[in-house]
Amino acid sequence: MNDLELLAEKINNQQARLAVIGLGYVGLPVACMFADKGFNVIGVDIKTERIDQINRGHCPIEGYEPGLPELLSRVITEGKLVVTTDYDRLSDVDIILIDVETPTNEQHIPQYVALRSACQSLGSVLKDGALVIVESTIAPGTMANVVRPVLEESSGRKSNSDFFLGVCPERVMPGKLLANLQNMSRVCGGETPAVAAVLQLLYRNIVEADLDPADLITAELTKTAENAYRDVNIAFANELALICQAAGADFLRVRALVNKSPGRNVLFAGAGVGGHCIPKDPWLLAYGVRDKVELKLIPAARYVNDSMPYQIAKLLQDALIQAGKPLNQAKVAILGYAYLEESDDTRNSPSETLAQYLKEKGVDAVIHDPFVEGYQTDLYTLIEGCDGVIIMVAHQAYKKLDLSKIKSLLRTPILVDGRFLINGEEAQAAGLIFRGIGQGAYYD
């Protein structure tokens, strides 16, 4: 029986020892799900505070994550999941999943500091016959040009002989972590078809959707292309919203009518695109062919989506002009700092971009968010005395705003809606100067 056959047998018998490196929005729920299926799982993270919290059975991910806190508490109590900062604990592990951040810098170049570090630390303790699977989203060619050479150098072993490589990009979103892991299809990329088959066998324990085998480069391309495609579609929606706004029309009405045509699916527009994935994955897709293909569409989409917080600032400035209030003398409350509703995830937050820009323009910008630590103040107390309120995140708490109360508390009665939460007519009836993205009817 060769190493892969032995590994497959261990998976079938739930005797394979698993490790997950990186216990964030992907790694933690993945570790919990495999532990809940009977595998012994070791989690590794560099943040000691997070490790201590998890080992106490407390979920470090705030926001609305159905089932995760309870699942984490259960597998910790049962001893099926143990977390540590010590890579030496991985010396007898059969399968290692890597779930670390893979950001890009301002020049859109992948920054693989965490990935390289994880591979180097793992390589020093990697056992013969182990399977290393990267779940992080990476640029096409990263497995061949980064992961394989770093692991081979640090371990002194050879890929596809002494150890095996796979890539199975995650498809999750905060607020739906467990549901997405269970119900979303996955691409199981292996350096050989036999390795891909072992990935399929492993992930069948937690995934109820399709598990498609592929080579490494195809799996890398699929995930980055998927998010780039969504980014381009969001950019069209955002630009259409700006056109409707300038033309005095209602984006939602135009969108609804367009989508009546078969095959059309215009997405929602909004105040910006955030999170760890979509703002950088199109650049990861492009990076692999940066010297071979002249890209036009992907950079243009990125520009449109990155510009949306500044479009919100323009709406604010327009409303302030109507009220006779100089921008640099205004105090404004920004509602929402996470990038996504009902989440505490602030990575690449459009609100951060807006707040920084407004402060550079002399605006006193204060922030509220019910899920983000440091901004969980009383909403109406924060609003009092401000010259405007800007809704940047569609948290449930902001869908129930008392418009009359807001009007009574504001020094200058301005409300800017970047997420289509407020009815413009109701806002005006409450005495507010209203501006909404894609809602051109409310310009005077």
Side-chain angles (χ1 to χ4, degrees):
M1 184 178 294
N2 63 36
D3 286 336
L4 283 177
E5 291 171 338
L6 179 61
L7 192 56
E9 182 176 322
K10 285 185 174 182
I11 292 171
N12 279 327
N13 297 330
Q14 295 181 331
Q15 296 301 309
R17 291 179 55 82
L18 271 60
V20 178
I21 300 175
L23 299 174
Y25 289 91
V26 179
L28 182 59
V30 165
C32 289
M33 290 182 74
F34 275 114
D36 194 46
K37 294 301 181 180
F39 292 92
N40 288 311
V41 182
I42 298 176
V44 178
D45 201 282
I46 62 174
K47 297 179 180 178
T48 55
E49 182 178 349
R50 175 176 292 177
I51 293 297
D52 292 341
Q53 191 174 358
I54 295 172
N55 275 329
R56 294 196 305 270
H58 297 160
C59 184
I61 299 175
E62 300 292 341
Y64 181 64
E65 284 300 340
L68 182 58
E70 297 83 2
L71 176 59
L72 171 61
S73 178
R74 182 168 68 249
V75 296
I76 289 291
T77 300
E78 294 173 351
K80 302 302 291 185
L81 172 63
V82 177
V83 298
T84 180
T85 60
D86 185 7
Y87 275 84
D88 288 339
R89 298 281 298 274
L90 308 187
S91 60
D92 62 346
V93 167
D94 300 297
I95 302 170
I96 304 94
L97 311 181
I98 299 179
D99 291 289
V100 297
E101 290 192 339
T102 52
T104 57
N105 64 15
E106 293 182 357
Q107 289 73 44
H108 315 308
I109 298 172
Q111 300 299 289
Y112 289 143
V113 175
L115 181 61
R116 289 179 181 276
S117 176
C119 290
Q120 287 170 347
S121 298
L122 173 61
S124 65
V125 297
L126 192 65
K127 64 175 285 189
D128 282 337
L131 170 60
V132 181
I133 304 171
V134 176
E135 294 193 310
S136 304
T137 304
I138 49 181
T142 301
M143 294 299 295
N145 299 323
V146 177
V147 175
R148 180 184 289 128
V150 172
L151 281 173
E152 287 185 339
E153 181 179 356
S154 58
S155 69
R157 294 176 168 87
K158 287 296 182 181
S159 171
N160 203 34
S161 172
D162 305 317
F163 67 91
F164 304 96
L165 285 179
V167 58
C168 188
E170 49 79 15
R171 283 172 168 162
V172 299
M173 177 179 289
K176 302 177 182 178
L177 295 178
L178 294 180
N180 284 169
L181 284 169
Q182 180 177 334
N183 300 316
M184 297 286 284
S185 66
R186 302 283 287 268
V187 180
C188 297
E191 55 187 340
T192 67
V195 175
V198 173
L199 264 70
Q200 289 177 287
L201 189 64
L202 173 68
Y203 282 98
R204 183 50 65 204
N205 285 278
I206 64 170
V207 177
E208 297 181 1
D210 291 343
L211 294 170
D212 297 302
D215 54 61
L216 297 177
I217 193 73
T218 297
E220 291 169 323
L221 277 165
T222 299
K223 177 58 189 296
T224 49
E226 174 186 326
N227 281 345
Y229 177 79
R230 181 165 178 80
D231 194 44
V232 169
N233 279 268
I234 293 172
F236 175 79
N238 282 335
E239 195 154 85
L240 177 60
L242 297 179
I243 291 171
C244 292
Q245 187 177 294
D250 180 356
F251 165 78
L252 292 183
R253 177 64 173 157
V254 172
R255 173 182 179 272
L257 294 173
V258 169
N259 286 350
K260 282 191 170 186
S261 181
R264 307 298 186 267
N265 183 29
V266 177
L267 303 181
F268 279 103
V273 177
H276 182 59
C277 295
I278 292 183
K280 56 90 177 176
D281 287 358
W283 297 121
L284 291 179
L285 174 64
Y287 184 76
V289 294
R290 61 195 179 280
D291 298 325
K292 301 175 182 178
V293 179
E294 185 179 5
L295 299 171
K296 299 292 186 181
L297 184 60
I298 288 174
R302 282 281 72 238
Y303 175 83
V304 170
N305 290 336
D306 282 345
S307 74
M308 294 310 291
Y310 304 108
Q311 297 295 338
I312 297 296
K314 288 182 180 180
L315 292 180
L316 171 67
Q317 186 167 21
D318 181 81
L320 286 168
I321 290 172
Q322 181 180 333
K325 182 78 175 182
L327 181 66
N328 61 4
Q329 296 178 17
K331 180 180 180 181
V332 176
I334 297 174
L335 305 191
Y337 198 71
Y339 90 89
L340 184 69
E341 61 268 20
E342 309 305 293
S343 170
D344 69 337
D345 192 345
T346 62
R347 292 175 294 179
N348 294 306
S349 165
S351 298
E352 181 180 13
T353 300
L354 174 65
Q356 182 177 346
Y357 175 77
L358 291 179
K359 289 175 181 178
E360 289 172 355
K361 296 298 182 180
V363 177
D364 181 7
V366 295
I367 299 167
H368 178 273
D369 194 295
F371 298 104
V372 178
E373 185 176 355
Y375 301 122
Q376 298 165 317
T377 58
D378 179 75
L379 174 60
Y380 291 105
T381 300
L382 186 76
I383 288 172
E384 188 172 6
C386 287
D387 298 296
V389 172
I390 304 175
I391 300 174
M392 287 292 288
V393 184
H395 288 315
Q396 288 293 328
Y398 304 149
K399 296 179 181 180
K400 306 172 184 176
L401 294 176
D402 185 331
L403 299 180
S404 297
K405 186 173 183 179
I406 289 176
K407 165 64 168 59
S408 70
L409 292 173
L410 288 174
R411 181 169 60 189
T412 308
I414 291 173
L415 176 60
V416 178
D417 182 7
R419 297 296 177 184
F420 297 98
L421 296 190
I422 304 300
N423 182 291
E425 292 182 359
E426 292 179 2
Q428 288 187 331
L432 293 163
I433 299 172
F434 178 77
R435 296 290 185 274
I437 196 75
Q439 301 183 63
Y442 300 102
Y443 280 84
D444 287 341

